[in-house]
Amino acid sequence: MGSMHTMLEDIPGGIDRLAAFYAERARGQVGLIVTGCIAPNLEGRALPMGHAMDNEAEAEKHRVVTKAVHDEGGKICMQILHVGRYGYSPDNVSSSETKAPISPFPSRALTTDEVEKTIADYVQSARMAQHAHYDGVEIMGSEGYLINQFIVTKVNRREDKWGGDYESRIQFPLEIIRRTREAVGPNFIIIYRLSMIDLVKGGSTWEEVVHLAKEVEKAGATIINSGIGWHESRVPTIGTVVPKGGFAWVTKRLMGVVNIPLIATNRINMPDVAEQVLADGCADMVSMARPFLADPEIVQKAIENRTEEINTCIACNQACLDHTFSMQVCSCIVNPRACHETELNYTEAQVKKKVAIVGAGPAGLEAAVGSAKRGHEVHLYEASHRIGGQFNMAKEIPGKEEYGQTIRYYSAMLSKHNVNVHLNTKASVDSLTSNGFDDIILATGVTPRKVQFDGADHAKVMTYAEVLQDKKEVGKSVAIIGSGGIGFDVAEYLAHDMNQDSVSLDVKDYMKEWGVDMEYNTGGSLAENGASPLPSPREIYLLKRSKGKHGKNLGKTTGWIHRSSLAMKKVNMLSEVSYQKVDDQGLHIKVGEEEKLLEVDHVIVCAGQEPLNELHAGLFAKGQSVHLIGGAHIAKELDAKKAIKEAMELVIKL
Ligand code: NAP
Ligand code: SF4
């Protein structure tokens, strides 16, 4: 299980929750866990509120974690990470005086003495990890953090012995490994996370990567893990757009170069993907991180041939990385229990009830499965012919096909827990009141918001649901009204040729699209001629009334991917638009004071949603115990994260 910073490391009382989190994964048969990042000293922390593993008292606090994992038969390594210039602090340090494009704070250069001290701090941190009873450490040498900042001339311009030629620059990580090995003895695991592809201009060449790997082995590492891309790279490396196992080819290049095991990482989210990576000879081991947030029992379920029951990570980052990067405790959109194992639990209900759930979108599905797990008799009513709700539209978006996996998971859970599913059944106040339900949960979702201007009912105008769900034909030029998450999704959908058999890119096409040179002809492996995206088959305008950049409310760690993707497809993004009318000519707008006619074939309305909750008042009036969740409750800024969590919290108390 790969490293993920959960923020439990940094909050009061978090260590006991962390122990419960890791114990559950160890119980689920994970072979080896690597913790979230722990700094070797105070300057190395990502945030001023973070902790450093630098003394015995701190180490002893961690024993609750190591004991919990060992009690379950697991093994756990502590990741040591010094963020260098990526820190969010005015005290940032790096190899040279510099400023990272992704931190607001500049860094000062470490003095020669301070470099020595920093190496000593890494070693002390590893010794303290041993004192805390960890089975080993992972030394984080990738993703653009301090070690990378020493290795690459793009940052390291030092004139002392820690700068200069490549051999001198790599002495920083090599000394850390050598001295750590000396300090911890031969049997303590040392994983070195080696940046195998920097994906930044001026990054390491392939020859340098190979040389470093050999030296890392000589210095005493037990295992080499793959680091893919610096955080400041503009190539998505873990987002949902990345093909599954999409960077295993990088690790494969290094196979046979060293005699210690290599680990492949990134977008390996299901057992079959992991098996394929191994079968293709890409690596000796695989590491999955986020998939263990989505489902702590993946390995156990794979062993028992229950893959249908795996709750798959859909690579959205919405509740994990987006949380961590905004200083909230990490969790998972499809599994709100992740990092809340001590708080959110479905226990057997004292009083068994008959429960109706109306609507089989994400909120209704979680409510149904959760209620059934608690032992209630559950009836799930869905007006359409299928379960999944809004996820059925999301899975149509190129790069978001994984949302279909969540529907598959819930489908397996409904039958495993004997939920009575009534498809093509529109529940009414009468039908619900005449069936003796103790509780009725309305998860009836949302309906697309209508817009009010002349011609809003013109034949050119359609809703996003008509495009994504009803698959209405869309012309060669199109204007999209509203640039929230759905506006972006619809633009992405229309910027692809949907007549192709598959709109998902294979690995080679993906690398070409985002400008990665698989031949590794340049340092950092970026293609000399940049990205080469497939052109959009349509002219697309993405419009909004408000000021500022498009997609500013999209996910913190994924918004840039959506913006870059649409920019590559030459989508025209206009702000401060007022909509005048639609007629046979197209969409008439004003941008500021300037009048414009967009001569488009179609206008797609993506202007948010209104709740669908008309059953509520009737049921309430009849004295029923009725609950509203998900979009039916509050449509504004609704997302699946909120919907699924709301369902879980309600059902726990039912
Ligand atoms: P949304 O985020 O509320 O965006 C709709 C946009 O339409 C508004 O930002 C508004 O922008 C515009 N609008 C609202 N009322 C309008 C009106 N009467 N006339 C014209 N324009 C109007 O809703 P959404 O895009 O449907 O997304 C729904 C939820 O799903 C959101 O929580 C979203 O975060 C989530 N989601 C996220 C993603 C993602 O992160 N990739 C993808 C899909 C959905 P202006 O006022 O600027 O015009
Ligand atoms: Fe995966 Fe999304 Fe869950 Fe993160 S929030 S673990 S990306 S499904």
Side-chain angles (χ1 to χ4, degrees), residues 290-291 293-294 312-321 331-334:
R290 295 171 299 170
L293 288 175
T312 305
C313 165
I314 56 177
C316 65
N317 284 2
Q318 264 176 266
C320 52
L321 286 168
S331 189
C332 173
I333 190 172
V334 295

Side-chain angles (χ1 to χ4, degrees), residues 268-469:
I268 300 171
N269 69 340
M270 284 291 277
D272 61 326
V273 184
E275 290 294 352
Q276 197 61 52
V277 166
L278 296 175
D280 291 346
C282 296
D284 302 295
M285 300 164 76
V286 291
S287 165
M288 298 157 129
R290 295 171 299 170
F292 285 107
L293 288 175
D295 194 331
E297 293 182 323
I298 303 176
V299 181
Q300 184 77 46
K301 288 177 181 174
I303 292 169
E304 293 168 2
N305 271 330
R306 294 191 286 130
T307 44
E308 282 299 293
E309 295 180 20
I310 292 176
N311 198 359
T312 305
C313 165
I314 56 177
C316 65
N317 284 2
Q318 264 176 266
C320 52
L321 286 168
D322 285 352
H323 275 211
T324 308
F325 281 88
S326 48
M327 293 185 232
Q328 299 170 59
V329 171
C330 161
S331 189
C332 173
I333 190 172
V334 295
N335 175 26
R337 278 195 74 241
C339 299
H340 297 79
E341 286 74 11
T342 55
E343 301 162 359
L344 294 176
N345 284 299
Y346 290 130
T347 52
E348 186 161 354
Q350 297 296 309
V351 180
K352 301 285 160 48
K353 295 179 173 179
K354 187 172 174 186
V355 181
I357 290 144
V358 187
L365 288 168
E366 182 58 40
V369 171
S371 302
K373 280 183 181 172
R374 296 202 62 206
H376 299 306
E377 178 189 333
V378 184
H379 292 262
L380 175 63
Y381 296 96
E382 166 58 41
S384 80
H385 64 285
R386 59 183 177 173
I387 65 165
Q390 300 279 311
F391 271 31
N392 285 307
M393 285 191 266
K395 74 180 171 58
E396 297 299 322
I397 311 302
K400 283 184 131 176
E401 296 82 358
E402 298 279 29
Y403 283 67
Q405 294 294 329
T406 306
I407 303 175
R408 183 265 308 142
Y409 160 75
Y410 276 120
S411 174
M413 289 296 106
L414 292 175
S415 66
K416 182 177 170 102
H417 295 288
N418 301 318
V419 172
N420 303 286
V421 181
H422 309 272
L423 296 177
N424 301 306
T425 308
K426 198 163 165 43
S428 64
V429 171
D430 284 347
S431 67
L432 289 167
T433 43
S434 58
N435 269 306
F437 290 114
D438 299 301
D439 279 279
I440 300 170
I441 300 175
L442 297 180
T444 32
V446 292
T447 185
R449 179 177 290 134
K450 294 204 163 74
V451 284
Q452 311 289 341
F453 49 73
D454 282 352
D457 54 355
H458 191 278
K460 282 181 186 288
V461 180
M462 49 178 111
T463 65
Y464 65 83
E466 287 174 299
V467 177
L468 299 176
Q469 198 168 275

Side-chain angles (χ1 to χ4, degrees), residues 3 32 48 50 60 85 133 244 251 255 277 350 363 387 415 504 510 514 527 530 564 618 641:
S3 173
L32 175 63
E60 280 151 24
R85 69 177 192 157
H133 301 157
K244 284 187 271 189
T251 313
M255 287 290 277
V277 166
Q350 297 296 309
I387 65 165
S415 66
S504 294
Y510 177 82
W514 287 91
S564 308
K641 181 178 80 174

